[in-house]
């Protein structure tokens, strides 16, 4: 129920309308509106309207009588009891002066602080004026990445209109957009989230926006949603950021949280816009085979393109947390800021940030991440990181817009042309998806178990470790020696830190995943995203996100982001990278400097040196030189130095046995030279030290003595002839040899050791029987200055002593074989065997061969015939009657063998033959000679065979 209460005021200078709203405890903004008006003394109508949450409206009009010469006013109080909010409006209207309206609203918190608005309305003619105050609760819709949610917004509107006698142009003055002439329904923003709405007939409604927190959506990537300010800048809503990561060999987590592994070793698109809103924008990855078997790949370079700049973050060495940065192929120092792009170091990560697009890309050599706001990139990304729309169904989108069967297949379609990798062919469709699981099961690494253990347990409710654990097991199985499983733990810990959960995990890996910092830094698992420096503010102290890396120890801070020096007090740091305190004076690079607070910090001027007395360097070989002063390194001292190359005198060349001695007289630079004896012996242009041997010739032993020849000043060489031994062994004679002093014992005869252990000396060509055995014959031959002795054995024919008459046994002429005396009855013709070597064309049998021959007497006579008156002759010869041909192998000097055939006598008989005209005595003599020749030939053959 609304009850108007009229009140009379006299000479009241102002009119005030106050509205107070009580609502939820997190209401913050307070809006105050003042509307100056000018009215005449005429009846005034005040209208107050209250609007409930359901939209119902109650109007109450209160009017008070007026009279000339008096001031009348009316006050209206509005009380709303149909909702948790209570609104009280008090309106006092004077007949003259100014109307002031103040609105105070308590409700849900909104980003805008208290506001004050002044509105001037057009003046109107003398007519009743009305004042309307309304309180509304509106419902507005917000779109998030997970769908559409509703947020209730309470608006409190106060509108004041006044009149004047005459019509004149008016104006409306606000802190937001205004319109000099507005039609009903037009609206414009004032300041501090307050909107002005034109109702009708110059009725203006001022609406402060009250925000209610929208419900929090669920992000498919498992991360917490983020608050995003609405376009009006007043309220906010939830969105799921686009967050893509990759690590190991490599494993990917798309924007929407879909996990897959891909082992390509080319250059690929991670993120590009489907509809281009920025020129030359994209994020790319260059992979390489990180094992010797070329089985798996690892990230090598992350490439970020933005308009005219191309940033490359590349690993310094494989499987390390060291990254180097180039911009447009030129190395840059960090931090780097140019053309809307910032590059800096954040813990172990190198970060490329594009503030205009509210995005950043990180890379540390083992893992990377891409974070992009959904309000700028939602539903407008494709590549290996997928489509950012909080829906994993379309994350495996191909360049042509179709959805691949799996993301492993999709990833290979996003190749780009890279001149450094000619083996890659963008656009070539792979025959099958690469294998992303180990071929054989293996035992999981103990490091991977940490993901499910107590170390990471505080983060389990914020980030599910399941996919990171699968990647860790894969890395430990496929590449057990590279410790790539550390990258899975590192990226999981980094994701937890992004969600505000700090995990100090490296100390639980038994040193496998340790991280070493420089001596002036210390490792922190949960350091600030941007380290506080002397040049920056303390804004990071309230940050809920962390990053691991090397930071300044407690009690110190980083001097500046571009000067990596930890300081205890913020003073100055110069080019020598040494911290200085304010007011400290120092000298660096021969500049006298002082550290001052303000300005550039360090002010320097050239170092002044004291005056020195002039030094004169006279004399041959002397010159002036500036030496470093040990007391003041910036002020050199002039001294005189000696340079012998400036001397005129030349070093003399001494003869053999002499050497140059030099000495420098006191106070001079150039030396004085002379040749002095070296106390050595000289022979044939060579020097010999005392007591050393000197070779003069082979026949003398010479030595260098310590005695000096007074005329030559050289040591004397003393020589003695070498004694000779003139005795030679038997068979040798001493003969002179060129180059030898005593000659040489040279063999001239054969020395034969007989079977009776005695030595027999034979000259070449000499034959001699064994002193104790006439059947053994020794001989000596000289073949090419080689003395060769041979031994021959005579084989006697079969002899039967019984056939001989007593006293008729005698020796044959060879002195070896026995035979019967010639007076004996003749021996019948028979076969006699002998054993001998066969020689044919220089080849001989390896062993003695049994050969046969005919030997014996036959009936031969010569008688005188009286009848014929002449000598009658009857001759018969012991000859072979039956023979056979046999074969034997002969060994040749060249090493090969040949087959040889010879005649073997089987039987002998006396056969008649013609008698010659010679006398019988001559025949007998010839027969004896033939027998001796045959014996001699056999000896020669034996000697020849032995020699060969």
């Amino acid at each position: 129920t609304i009850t108007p209460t009229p009140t009379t005021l006299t000479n009241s200078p102002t009119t005030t309308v106050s509205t107070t709203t009580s609502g939820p405890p997190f209401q913050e903004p307070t809006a105050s509106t003042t509307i100056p008006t000018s009215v005449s003394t005429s009846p005034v109508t005040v209208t107050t309207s209250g609007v409930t949450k359901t939209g119902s409206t109650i109007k109450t009009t209160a009017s008070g009588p007026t009279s000339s010469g008096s001031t009348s006013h009316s006050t209206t109080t509005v009380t709303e009891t149909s909702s948790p909010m209570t609104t009280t409006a008090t309106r006092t209207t004077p007949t003259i002066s100014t109307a002031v309206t103040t609105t105070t609203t308590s409700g849900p918190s909104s980003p805008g602080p208290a506001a004050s608005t002044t509105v001037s309305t057009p003046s109107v003619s003398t007519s009743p004026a009305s004042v309307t105050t309304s309180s509304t609760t509106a419902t507005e819709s917000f779109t998030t990445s997970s769908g559409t949610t509703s947020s209730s917004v309470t608006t409190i509107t106060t509108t004041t209109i006044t009149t004047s006698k005459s019509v004149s142009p008016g104006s409306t003055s606000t802190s937001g957009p205004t319109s000099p002439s507005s039609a009903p329904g037009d609206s414009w923003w004032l300041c501090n989230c307050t909107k002005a709405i034109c109702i009708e007939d110059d009725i203006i409604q001022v609406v402060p926006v009250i925000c209610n927190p929208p419900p929090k959506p669920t992000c498919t990537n498992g991360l917490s949603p983020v608050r995003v300010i609405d376009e009006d800048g007043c309220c906010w809503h939830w969105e799921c950021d686009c967050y893509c990561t990759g690590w190991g060999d490599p494993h990917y987590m798309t924007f929407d949280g879909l996990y897959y592994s891909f082992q390509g070793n080319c250059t690929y698109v991670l993120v590009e816009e489907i509809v281009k809103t920025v020129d030359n924008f994209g994020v790319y990855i260059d992979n390489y085979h990180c094992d010797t078997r070329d089985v798996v790949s690892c990230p090598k370079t992350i490439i970020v393109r933005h308009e005219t700049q191309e940033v490359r973050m590349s690993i310094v060495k494989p499987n390390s947390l060291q990254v180097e940065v180039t911009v447009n192929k030129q190395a840059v120092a960090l931090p780097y800021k140019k053309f809307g792009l910032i590059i800096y170091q954040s813990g172990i990560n190198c970060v490329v940030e594009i503030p205009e697009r509210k995005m950043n890309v990180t890379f540390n050599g083992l893992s990377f991440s891409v974070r992009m706001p959904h309000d700028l990139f939602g539903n407008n990304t494709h590549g290996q990181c997928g489509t950012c729309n909080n829906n994993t169904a379309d994350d495996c989108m191909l360049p042509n817009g179709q959805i691949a069967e799996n993301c492993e297949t999709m990833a290979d379609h996003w190749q780009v042309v890279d001149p450094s990798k000619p083996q890659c062919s963008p656009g070539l469709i792979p025959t099958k998806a690469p294998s992303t699981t180990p071929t054989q099961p293996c035992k999981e690494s103990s490091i991977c178990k940490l993901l499910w253990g107590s170390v990471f347990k505080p983060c389990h409710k914020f980030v599910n470790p399941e996919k990171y654990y699968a990647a860790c097991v894969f890395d430990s199985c496929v590449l057990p020696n590279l410790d790539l499983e550390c990258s899975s733990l590192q990226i999981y810990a980094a994701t937890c830190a992004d969600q505000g959960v700090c995990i100090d995990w490296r100390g639980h890996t038994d040193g496998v995943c340790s991280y070493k910092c420089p001596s002036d830094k210390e490792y922190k698992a949960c350091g600030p995203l941007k380290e506080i420096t002397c040049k920056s503010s303390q804004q990071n102290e309230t940050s809920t996100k962390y990053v691991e890396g090397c930071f300044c120890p407690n009690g110190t801070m980083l001097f500046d982001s571009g000067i990596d020096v930890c300081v205890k007090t913020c003073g100055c740091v110069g080019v020598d990278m040494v911290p200085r305190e304010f007011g400290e004076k120092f000298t660096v690079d021969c500049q006298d400097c002082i550290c001052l607070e303000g300005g550039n910090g360090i002010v320097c001027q050239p170092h002044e040196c004291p005056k020195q007395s002039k030094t004169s360097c006279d004399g041959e070989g002397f010159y002036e030189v500036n030496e470093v002063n040990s007391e003041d390194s910036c002020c050199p001292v002039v001294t005189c130095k000696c340079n012998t190359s400036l001397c005129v005198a030349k070093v003399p060349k001494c003869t053999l046995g002499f050497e140059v001695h030099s000495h420098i007289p006191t106070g001079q630079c150039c030396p004085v030279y002379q040749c002095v004896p070296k106390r050595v012996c000289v022979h044939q242009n060579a020097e010999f030290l005392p007591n050393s041997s000197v070779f003069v010739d082979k026949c003398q032993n010479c030595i260098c003595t310590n005695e000096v020849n007074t005329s030559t000043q050289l040591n004397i060489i003393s020589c003695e002839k070498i004694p000779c031994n003139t005795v030679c062994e038997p068979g040798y004679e001493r003969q002179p040899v060129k180059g030898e002093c005593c000659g040489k014992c040279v063999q001239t005869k054969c020395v034969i050791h007989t079977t009776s252990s005695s030595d027999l000396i034979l000259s070449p060509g000499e034959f001699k029987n064994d002193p104790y055995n006439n059947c053994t014959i020794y001989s000596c031959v000289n073949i090419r200055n080689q003395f060769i002795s041979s031994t021959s054995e005579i084989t006697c024919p079969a002899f039967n002593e019984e056939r001989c008459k007593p006293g008729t046994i005698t020796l044959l002429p060879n002195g070896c074989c026995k035979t019967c005396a010639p007076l004996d009855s003749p021996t019948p013709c028979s076969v006699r065997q002998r054993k001998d070597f066969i020689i044919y064309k220089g080849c001989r049998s390896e062993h003695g061969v049994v050969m046969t021959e005919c030997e014996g007497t036959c009936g031969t006579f010569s008688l005188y015939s009286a009848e014929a008156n002449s000598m009658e002759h009857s001759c018969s010869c012991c000859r072979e009657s039956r023979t056979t041909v046999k074969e034997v192998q002969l060994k040749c000097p060249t090493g090969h063998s040949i087959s040889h055939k010879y005649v073997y006598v089987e039987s002998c008989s006396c056969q008649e033959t013609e008698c010659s005209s010679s006398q019988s005595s001559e025949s007998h003599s010839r027969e004896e000679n033939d027998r001796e020749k045959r014996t001699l030939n056999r000896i020669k053959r034996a000697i020849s065979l032995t020699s060969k």
Side-chain angles (χ1 to χ4, degrees):
T1 303
I2 301 175
T3 304
T5 303
T7 304
T8 302
L9 267 175
T10 304
N11 297 326
S12 176
T14 61
T15 301
T16 303
V17 178
S18 299
T19 302
T20 303
T21 303
S22 300
F26 29 84
Q27 177 177 348
E28 291 180 359
T30 300
S32 178
T33 305
T34 302
I35 308 174
T37 62
S38 176
V39 298
S40 63
T41 57
S42 59
V44 178
T45 302
V46 177
T47 302
T48 303
S49 61
V51 182
T52 64
K53 283 185 177 181
T54 58
S56 60
T57 304
I58 300 174
K59 282 191 176 181
T60 301
T61 303
S63 63
T66 63
S67 63
S68 61
S70 64
T71 302
S72 65
H73 69 275
S74 64
T75 301
T76 302
T77 300
V78 182
T79 302
E80 179 183 17
T81 60
S82 60
S83 67
M85 302 172 65
T86 301
T87 303
T88 302
T90 302
R91 173 75 165 115
T92 301
T93 307
T95 57
I96 59 176
S97 188
T98 306
V100 178
T101 301
T102 302
T103 302
T104 302
T105 306
S106 298
S109 62
S110 100
S116 177
T117 306
T118 300
V119 181
S120 298
T121 62
S123 299
V124 298
S125 61
T126 304
S127 60
S130 63
V131 176
T132 302
T133 301
S134 62
S135 175
T136 63
T137 301
T139 301
E140 298 185 9
S141 297
F142 302 93
T143 301
T144 67
S145 59
S146 60
T148 302
T149 61
S150 297
S151 174
S152 177
V153 179
T154 302
T155 62
I156 305 300
T157 306
T158 300
T159 305
T160 302
I161 299 176
T162 60
T163 63
S164 64
K165 291 182 180 180
S166 60
V167 178
S168 63
S171 64
T172 300
S173 178
T174 70
S175 61
T178 62
S179 173
S181 177
S182 301
D186 289 349
S187 64
W188 61 94
W189 286 100
L190 302 178
C191 61
N192 299 325
C193 298
T194 304
K195 180 181 290 188
I197 304 175
C198 179
I199 305 301
E200 60 180 352
D201 296 335
D202 298 324
I203 298 175
I204 300 171
Q205 188 177 26
V206 179
V207 184
V209 178
I210 307 301
C211 302
N212 287 329
K216 183 181 289 189
T218 300
C219 300
T220 58
N221 58 17
L223 305 181
S224 299
V226 296
R227 292 186 180 188
V228 179
I229 303 299
D230 294 340
E231 292 182 359
D232 57 16
C234 298
C235 298
W236 54 269
H237 61 278
W238 297 103
E239 285 186 358
C240 294
D241 264 356
C242 310
Y243 187 62
C244 173
T245 58
W247 70 95
D249 53 350
H251 311 285
Y252 293 82
M253 195 83 76
T254 65
F255 287 134
D256 298 330
L258 183 62
Y259 168 78
Y260 70 94
S261 298
F262 176 64
Q263 311 303 334
N265 69 325
C266 298
T267 304
Y268 306 90
V269 176
L270 282 178
V271 184
E272 280 186 349
E273 289 185 304
I274 300 175
V275 178
K276 309 298 182 184
T277 62
V278 181
D279 291 339
N280 191 32
F281 171 76
V283 184
Y284 309 88
I285 184 171
D286 177 12
N287 291 336
Y288 76 104
H289 284 312
C290 49
D291 71 325
T292 56
R293 300 169 297 167
D294 294 347
V295 175
V296 296
S297 300
C298 296
K300 178 183 178 183
T301 303
I302 299 297
I303 306 166
V304 181
R305 291 178 181 170
H306 179 252
E307 296 179 347
T308 61
Q309 301 187 91
E310 179 183 272
V311 181
R312 286 179 172 264
M313 297 180 286
S314 305
I315 60 174
V316 175
K317 60 181 180 179
N319 303 321
S320 68
L321 290 171
Q322 292 180 303
V323 176
E324 58 184 6
V325 182
T326 62
V327 177
N328 294 338
K329 300 181 180 180
Q330 295 293 326
V332 296
L334 302 186
Y336 172 90
K337 184 175 181 180
K338 190 175 183 181
F339 298 149
L341 189 144
I342 304 174
I343 310 172
Y344 57 92
Q345 193 74 28
S346 178
I348 64 174
N349 297 316
C350 182
V351 183
V352 178
E353 186 175 335
I354 306 176
E356 180 185 3
R357 306 297 293 173
K358 303 176 186 178
M359 67 164 291
N360 64 67
V361 180
T362 70
F363 184 50
N364 57 32
L366 295 179
S367 62
F368 69 87
S369 68
V370 181
R371 180 181 289 277
M372 309 168 76
H374 182 274
D375 58 332
L376 295 180
F377 294 94
N379 293 295
N380 193 31
T381 64
H382 59 184
Q384 290 185 340
C385 281
T387 304
C388 179
N389 59 2
N390 208 35
N391 181 10
T392 59
D394 57 357
D395 278 3
C396 302
M397 180 184 294
L398 301 175
N400 59 10
Q402 297 180 358
I403 307 301
E405 180 181 354
N406 54 66
C407 285
E408 288 83 1
T409 302
M410 170 274 292
D412 203 62
H413 285 75
W414 287 102
Q415 285 190 40
V416 296
V417 177
D418 189 345
S420 66
K421 294 192 171 184
Q423 76 276 10
C424 298
S425 302
L428 183 64
I429 300 176
T431 56
K432 63 177 181 178
S435 174
T436 57
T437 57
T439 56
Q440 296 181 353
C442 73
K443 185 178 180 181
E444 62 180 345
S445 170
S446 59
I447 294 178
C448 299
K449 294 180 181 179
L450 293 175
L451 288 168
W452 291 107
S454 59
V455 177
F456 287 94
K457 187 176 181 180
C459 186
H460 288 175
K461 63 180 179 180
F462 296 95
V463 183
N464 190 340
E466 179 181 359
K467 297 171 183 177
Y468 302 92
Y469 174 78
C472 182
V473 172
F474 176 85
D475 291 345
S476 65
C477 290
V478 177
L479 296 173
N481 298 323
L482 293 184
D483 299 331
L484 279 182
E485 55 264 36
C486 297
S487 63
S488 295
L489 276 67
Q490 185 267 320
I491 193 66
Y492 181 68
T495 306
C496 294
D498 184 76
Q499 298 299 299
V501 181
C502 174
I503 304 294
D504 191 356
W505 60 278
R506 292 190 183 270
H508 299 272
T509 62
D510 295 330
V512 176
C513 303
S514 61
Y515 186 77
K516 188 175 182 181
C517 291
S519 58
D520 60 333
K521 297 288 187 74
E522 64 180 18
Y523 172 79
K524 292 182 181 179
C526 306
L529 289 177
K530 290 187 178 180
E531 194 170 1
I532 299 173
T533 69
C534 293
K535 304 294 184 180
S536 65
S537 61
Q538 308 292 319
Q539 75 274 13
N540 289 312
E541 291 184 353
T542 60
S543 175
T544 60
K545 295 184 178 181
Y546 310 99
V547 65
E548 68 168 330
C550 297
F551 301 91
C552 290
N554 292 333
T556 64
M557 69 170 58
L558 193 66
F559 180 77
D560 196 4
S561 57
I563 302 176
D564 192 17
V565 177
C566 297
V567 297
K568 292 183 179 180
T569 58
C570 291
C572 307
V573 175
V575 294
D576 56 353
M577 306 303 287
V578 176
R580 313 283 182 180
E581 296 183 0
F582 290 127
E584 181 179 351
K585 295 181 179 180
F586 57 96
T587 300
V588 60
D589 292 340
C590 295
Q591 296 275 320
D592 292 330
C593 304
I594 185 172
C595 173
L596 299 176
E597 188 172 4
N600 294 328
I602 297 178
V603 177
C604 299
Q605 61 183 5
H607 181 69
E608 294 184 359
C609 297
K611 292 184 178 180
Q612 297 182 14
S613 58
K614 185 172 180 61
T615 302
S616 177
C617 297
D618 298 329
E620 185 181 3
F622 287 108
Y623 69 101
E624 292 184 1
V625 64
N626 292 329
E627 283 190 339
V628 176
N629 188 349
S630 59
E631 297 180 357
D632 189 350
S633 59
C634 294
C635 298
V637 178
V638 179
T639 60
C640 293
K641 289 292 183 181
C642 173
N643 184 0
T644 55
S645 64
L646 301 177
C647 298
V648 178
K650 301 298 182 180
V651 179
K653 188 175 182 180
C654 300
T655 59
L656 209 60
F658 293 83
E659 62 184 353
V660 176
H661 274 201
S662 64
H663 72 281
I664 300 176
T666 305
Q668 295 185 13
C669 171
C670 296
V672 176
Y673 302 102
Q674 62 181 0
C675 292
V676 297
K678 297 169 67 176
R679 301 305 179 190
V680 296
C681 299
V682 176
H683 177 69
Q684 291 183 350
N685 295 326
E687 294 180 347
F688 299 89
L689 294 174
N691 299 321
S692 62
S693 296
V694 180
F695 180 79
V696 177
D697 57 48
K698 291 184 178 181
C699 301
Q700 298 183 87
N701 285 329
C702 300
I703 189 172
C704 178
T705 66
N706 288 310
E707 297 181 15
V708 179
N709 188 326
T710 56
S711 61
T712 63
Q713 295 297 311
L714 297 176
N715 289 24
I716 297 173
I717 299 175
S718 176
C719 297
E720 293 181 356
K721 286 194 174 184
I722 297 176
C724 296
N725 183 11
T726 58
V727 179
C728 293
E729 296 180 0
Y732 288 80
E733 293 180 1
R734 184 169 297 279
Q735 296 180 357
V737 178
K738 186 177 181 180
E740 297 288 342
C741 299
C742 300
K744 190 175 183 180
C745 289
V746 179
Q747 186 178 6
T748 58
K749 296 180 181 180
C750 294
V751 179
I752 302 173
H753 300 285
T754 64
T755 56
S756 59
S757 301
S758 60
D759 291 338
L760 192 63
I761 307 299
L762 296 181
S763 298
E766 183 180 0
F767 294 86
K768 186 173 289 187
N769 291 82
D770 189 288
Y772 303 97
N773 183 6
N774 283 336
C775 293
T776 301
I777 302 175
Y778 300 103
S779 62
C780 176
V781 294
N782 184 354
I783 301 177
R784 297 180 182 177
N785 292 326
Q786 294 291 326
F787 290 86
I788 301 174
S789 60
S790 62
T791 303
S792 300
E793 297 288 340
I794 298 175
T795 302
C796 296
F799 175 70
N800 189 355
E801 293 183 358
E802 296 178 355
R803 294 183 180 181
C804 296
K805 293 181 179 182
T808 61
I809 298 175
T810 183
L811 296 176
L812 289 176
N814 56 23
C816 171
C817 300
K818 294 180 180 180
T819 185
C820 296
L823 297 178
D824 294 349
S825 58
T827 302
C829 178
S830 63
V831 177
R832 188 177 69 86
Q833 291 185 344
R834 63 181 176 86
K835 194 172 185 180
D836 203 350
F837 293 92
I838 297 179
I839 298 176
Y840 179 75
K841 292 185 178 180
C843 304
R844 67 172 258 191
S845 58
E846 295 183 6
H847 308 284
V849 179
V850 177
M851 295 182 289
T852 56
E853 57 188 15
C854 295
E855 189 176 47
T857 59
C858 293
T860 301
F861 60 88
S862 179
L863 299 175
Y864 174 75
S865 174
E867 295 178 357
N869 195 22
S870 63
M871 295 295 294
E872 291 184 0
H873 304 281
S874 175
C875 298
S876 64
C877 181
C878 183
R879 299 180 61 181
E880 68 277 4
S881 60
R882 185 168 57 90
T883 62
T884 59
V885 177
K886 291 189 176 185
E887 189 172 349
V888 68
Q889 293 292 325
L890 304 183
K891 191 78 172 180
C892 299
T894 57
H896 70 280
S897 300
I898 62 173
S899 180
H900 177 68
K901 294 181 180 180
Y902 67 96
V903 177
Y904 184 84
V905 179
E906 296 287 349
S907 62
C908 299
S909 62
C910 293
Q911 299 180 16
E912 290 186 0
T913 183
E914 294 183 358
C915 296
S916 62
S917 58
S918 305
Q919 294 180 356
S920 60
S921 60
E922 295 175 355
S923 298
H924 177 73
S925 178
R926 187 166 56 248
E927 185 177 349
E928 289 294 333
N929 290 337
D930 291 342
R931 186 182 296 112
E932 290 180 0
K933 287 181 180 180
R934 285 197 301 269
T935 301
L936 185 58
N937 287 336
R938 284 199 302 269
I939 294 173
K940 288 183 178 181
R941 283 201 302 272
I943 294 174
S944 176
L945 290 173
T946 304
S947 301
K948 291 185 178 181

